[in-house]
Amino acid sequence: MSVSGPEPEPVERAEKLLIQLLEVCRQGHSIGSSEIRYAAEAVGERADFNLASLYEDVICLTTRGKPVRARTEGQRIYLEAMKKNELVFAIGPAGTGKTYLAVAHAVAALKAGRFNRIILVRPAVEAGEKLGFLPGDLMEKVEPYLRPLYDAFFDLLQPDRFLRYIDKSVIEIAPLAYMRGRTLNESCIILDEAQNTTPEQMKMFLTRMGFGSQVIVTGDITQVDLPSGKESGLKIVEQVLGGIPGIAFIRFGHGDVVRHELVQRIVRAYESYEQGKQP
């Protein structure tokens, strides 16, 4: 294969991209169109980008034996932050793997004996629906909003093992309102959809952290479903906690979207639209 062009720098970057893709293939990894597209964009933006580094660290395997690892540089930084910090905030658009990687990290740490329990929390705030209209008791009403967390677990644990963990409270999935008054020791606690918490709820949740525990907070501040006039706790938390040792803030961009290519375009389009509305 030959690469040519009028300017030397783009030719060198194209050559570097092809060499890196070949190196990853020789290591036995399969590369699809999404990986090639991401690598091309990353090499175009950063001359020092190293594609092979994304394939070095495997968190765990899915139930089908597929390795779970970072697929973008932002995800790699996120995984490193979860290894080194007791409190991690992951903020970014849909499809960047914020929740899935947090669950994978928690499952791997649970198997390694780092934690005794995994607790997943979600605020019962919804996009245009009301809990009261759903059938059943409170837990049955809340369960549909926790379903994405179930989906991640079913991908990482055999269903019977997951249900056994649920029965023994090794894994607990609960609405945010149930956290008040609790202190959670030796647990990995994940707050999902954190953009739908108020500042008061965010403070209440973060102060549940006990000895030997880790807290991971994920959310997308562009998709707040709180009632009009209510401020999102996720939007202001960096102003309050920024700079404190042991706390990391990871921000994802549209380049970290690992879903369908169209999702990246949708995220970009909404970003442009929102920027156009600002004075």
Side-chain angles (χ1 to χ4, degrees):
M1 182 177 287
S2 64
V3 182
S4 62
E7 299 292 333
E9 185 181 353
V11 172
E12 290 172 5
R13 292 200 181 194
E15 180 186 6
K16 181 177 180 180
L17 170 65
L18 292 168
I19 290 172
Q20 290 196 34
L21 290 169
L22 181 60
E23 180 185 347
V24 170
C25 287
R26 283 175 172 162
Q27 292 174 2
H29 303 290
S30 61
I31 293 181
S33 59
S34 61
E35 285 86 359
I36 294 174
R37 186 171 58 250
Y38 171 74
E41 291 179 356
V43 169
E45 293 174 0
R46 288 177 44 209
D48 62 342
F49 174 73
N50 181 12
L51 179 65
S53 65
L54 301 181
Y55 292 80
E56 292 172 355
D57 191 12
V58 175
I59 315 167
C60 61
L61 299 177
T62 68
T63 54
R64 293 168 291 174
K66 185 178 178 181
V68 178
R69 56 168 179 78
R71 296 177 62 184
T72 70
E73 183 69 8
Q75 290 187 349
R76 187 189 66 77
I77 295 170
Y78 180 34
L79 291 174
E80 285 295 319
M82 288 191 287
K83 290 179 182 178
K84 298 177 181 178
N85 297 276
E86 294 172 304
L87 176 55
V88 178
F89 291 87
I91 304 168
T96 50
K98 305 181 297 294
T99 302
Y100 187 87
L101 290 177
V103 171
H105 164 80
V107 168
L110 179 70
K111 290 179 177 179
R114 181 181 170 189
F115 301 120
N116 293 331
R117 303 172 66 200
I118 300 173
I119 300 169
L120 297 109
V121 185
R122 247 190 170 197
V125 177
E126 58 301 309
E129 302 293 336
K130 299 297 180 184
L131 286 175
F133 293 125
L134 294 173
D137 59 23
L138 178 59
M139 286 309 298
E140 290 172 325
K141 289 175 186 289
V142 170
E143 186 179 1
Y145 304 102
L146 305 176
R147 182 54 57 181
L149 301 175
Y150 281 86
D151 292 340
F153 271 112
F154 279 131
D155 200 31
L156 299 167
L157 294 170
Q158 294 292 345
D160 57 340
R161 188 175 188 182
F162 171 63
L163 294 174
R164 190 164 63 249
Y165 279 162
I166 289 285
D167 289 339
K168 294 182 178 180
S169 295
V170 175
I171 295 175
E172 180 184 347
I173 303 179
L176 180 61
Y178 282 25
M179 292 297 103
R180 191 173 296 278
R182 300 181 65 179
T183 301
L184 305 169
N185 298 316
E186 297 180 349
S187 304
C188 185
I189 312 150
I190 302 172
L191 173 60
D192 191 34
E193 299 290 341
Q195 74 274 7
N196 290 330
T197 62
T198 64
E200 295 78 15
Q201 288 174 324
M202 179 67 77
K203 178 183 177 182
M204 179 274 291
F205 170 76
L206 295 177
T207 53
R208 301 307 96 202
M209 186 177 184
F211 293 106
S213 289
Q214 181 182 34
V215 172
I216 303 167
V217 179
T218 70
D220 177 3
I221 56 175
T222 68
Q223 297 193 45
V224 177
D225 298 318
L226 290 169
S228 179
K230 288 274 188 179
E231 189 174 25
S232 169
L234 188 62
K235 284 186 176 181
I236 68 165
V237 71
E238 189 168 4
Q239 301 172 30
V240 178
L241 303 180
I244 297 178
I247 301 177
F249 288 87
I250 308 299
R251 290 191 175 272
F252 293 99
H254 56 74
D256 295 300
V257 174
V258 293
R259 289 183 186 167
H260 194 284
E261 182 183 359
L262 195 57
V263 175
Q264 271 194 0
R265 297 177 186 171
I266 291 170
V267 170
R268 282 195 182 104
Y270 270 97
E271 284 179 354
S272 298
Y273 175 75
E274 293 296 331
Q275 288 172 4
K277 287 173 60 179
Q278 294 176 6

